Amino acid sequence: MSAEARPPRHNPLQEIFWTRTGLLLLVLVVLSGVCLTISGAMPLGMGRNLVNAAGTGTLVSAIVGFGQTLITATAAQRALVSPVIEESRRTLRELAAEYRSMNKEFFPTHVFEATVQPDPALNRLMMRDLHATRQYFFRGFSARYAAARLLLSQAEWELRVIIADPRDATTLSGRARYLLRHEGAAADADRIQRELSHEVSMGLIGLYLARSRSTRIDVTVIADPPLDRLEMFDDSVWIHLYSDVSSVSTLYPRTLRFSEGSFLYNMERVEFLRVCQSRSARHFQLAPDTTRQEFMALYQKVTGRPLTEEAFRELETEFHVFQHNFSIAASLEN
């Protein structure tokens, strides 16, 4: 509730009028007027003098009382009422600032509901955050979208990604369960497993193609990463809630954006850097000058499968098709 909902009466005349003292002064003035009126109609003599004296005395008392009350009301206003009003306003300002701080720390700045197609508003805002950042952290399954965003931008960043280990069966099964829920009874588990493994391969190709858009790309491969996708910039963190069971009927889940300095931002950043420095995870690096042969050797280390020139060209073509389709669906085409 605002402190200005009922403005206080700062005018001392109003203070006098709305009190019992004001009513008493009004009675005295009326009584004085009645006495003077009556005395004017009376013949000369002792009675007229008494009534006239009573009316004059009452009028003088009313005037003096009005002056004293005005002085007292003004002093009381300055000494008592004004400090209380100012203190109330200051307290309300502090409470409002505290609530704003709590909102920034614990509540998202934006909430995007689950959709069956990429949300253009979500992607435009995320690209704006990407253009304003120096570091881009991504934690997800294959990093296809991170690579696509980099190739759609015209800047240079430090990119760190955490992706799923394609050599670990548990890693694929966690994401497969989400897709199985999405596709329903007609879902083919073996087909989904193959598609997920192919997505990781395409994500690695995408990171290789986007290496020139980054000062360096640090790749951390872990078994069974969290189901929720994380994208973090200098000023915000985006969490895509694949774990939200209410959005299993949609391909793109509910997404929350938290600002820098919030509890979620700090917590996710600390956890992300911890995983990136973990000795139990596998770490790789791509640089702008990484050659194709060096990448093929890295690809084999990550996936456990060799990469031929023909397979490389096929994956490269598929990734460009994916990037083009994503840019159109998300309204990010130039």
Side-chain angles (χ1 to χ4, degrees):
M1 182 181 293
S2 170
E4 302 297 335
R6 292 188 59 185
R9 295 184 295 270
H10 294 288
N11 192 337
L13 292 176
Q14 291 178 301
E15 292 290 342
I16 294 174
F17 181 77
W18 291 107
T19 60
R20 293 179 181 178
T21 303
L23 180 62
L24 177 60
L25 292 176
L26 179 62
V27 171
L28 290 177
V29 170
V30 172
L31 183 61
S32 173
V34 171
C35 290
L36 292 177
T37 301
I38 293 175
S39 67
M42 294 176 64
L44 295 176
M46 181 66 67
R48 176 177 178 175
N49 292 338
L50 288 175
V51 174
N52 186 59
T56 303
T58 303
L59 181 60
V60 171
S61 299
I63 294 173
V64 173
F66 176 81
Q68 291 178 337
T69 304
L70 182 62
I71 294 173
T72 302
T74 302
Q77 179 79 18
R78 293 176 179 177
L80 299 176
V81 179
S82 294
V84 171
I85 294 173
E86 192 59 35
E87 180 66 19
S88 298
R89 288 176 175 172
R90 185 184 65 81
T91 302
L92 287 175
R93 285 195 297 268
E94 291 177 354
L95 286 173
E98 183 176 352
Y99 283 132
R100 283 194 296 269
S101 176
M102 291 178 63
N103 286 341
K104 179 181 178 182
E105 188 169 359
F106 295 104
F107 294 95
T109 60
H110 296 77
V111 177
F112 297 92
E113 297 301 330
T115 59
V116 295
Q117 294 291 334
D119 186 342
L122 179 153
N123 284 283
R124 282 195 296 268
L125 181 57
M126 187 177 293
M127 293 299 288
R128 190 191 70 183
D129 287 353
L130 176 61
H131 290 150
T133 195
R134 292 175 295 106
Q135 290 184 320
Y136 179 20
F137 295 171
F138 179 92
R139 185 195 68 209
F141 186 77
S142 66
R144 291 183 306 160
Y145 289 98
R149 292 187 193 283
L150 290 182
L151 289 171
L152 289 169
S153 303
Q154 302 297 326
E156 189 175 68
W157 301 271
E158 176 188 338
L159 174 63
R160 297 186 181 188
V161 299
I162 298 175
I163 60 175
D165 188 346
R167 303 187 310 180
D168 189 281
T170 306
T171 297
L172 296 177
S173 63
R175 184 59 176 268
R177 286 193 296 271
Y178 173 81
L179 295 176
L180 286 170
R181 293 196 303 269
H182 169 70
E183 295 190 10
D188 184 343
D190 293 335
R191 176 184 58 81
I192 289 177
Q193 292 276 10
R194 290 193 300 270
E195 290 177 353
L196 291 176
S197 180
H198 188 69
E199 284 183 9
V200 175
S201 298
M202 193 168 24
L204 290 172
I205 291 291
L207 292 176
Y208 171 74
L209 297 175
R211 70 194 187 285
S212 61
R213 303 298 175 86
S214 302
T215 55
R216 68 176 190 180
I217 299 178
D218 292 321
V219 182
T220 300
V221 180
I222 63 174
D224 198 19
L227 190 58
D228 295 333
R229 182 194 300 162
L230 172 78
E231 296 185 69
M232 181 176 292
F233 309 100
D234 289 349
D235 299 324
S236 64
V237 59
W238 295 71
I239 302 176
H240 307 267
L241 300 176
Y242 285 96
S243 60
D244 185 4
V245 295
S246 63
S247 62
V248 296
S249 60
T250 57
L251 185 59
Y252 298 93
R254 193 165 185 256
T255 299
L256 307 179
R257 179 188 183 274
F258 293 87
S259 63
E260 183 272 334
S262 66
F263 172 77
L264 263 296
Y265 181 95
N266 294 325
M267 182 184 70
E268 292 292 355
R269 187 178 183 88
V270 169
E271 177 63 17
F272 187 95
L273 294 175
R274 184 193 68 80
V275 174
C276 286
Q277 298 167 3
S278 173
R279 294 183 180 181
S280 61
R282 297 191 294 144
H283 306 282
F284 307 93
Q285 190 173 100
L286 290 169
D289 58 352
T290 298
T291 64
R292 182 177 294 192
Q293 294 302 320
E294 291 173 337
F295 170 73
M296 287 181 172
L298 182 147
Y299 178 93
Q300 185 169 359
K301 290 179 181 178
V302 174
T303 64
R305 302 187 305 271
L307 181 65
T308 63
E309 285 288 342
E310 181 181 0
F312 179 91
R313 288 192 295 271
E314 289 179 359
L315 287 170
E316 183 180 17
T317 300
E318 290 180 8
F319 179 80
H320 283 307
V321 172
F322 162 78
Q323 176 198 345
H324 177 70
N325 293 336
F326 169 68
S327 64
I328 292 176
S331 301
L332 299 178
E333 65 274 12
N334 294 325

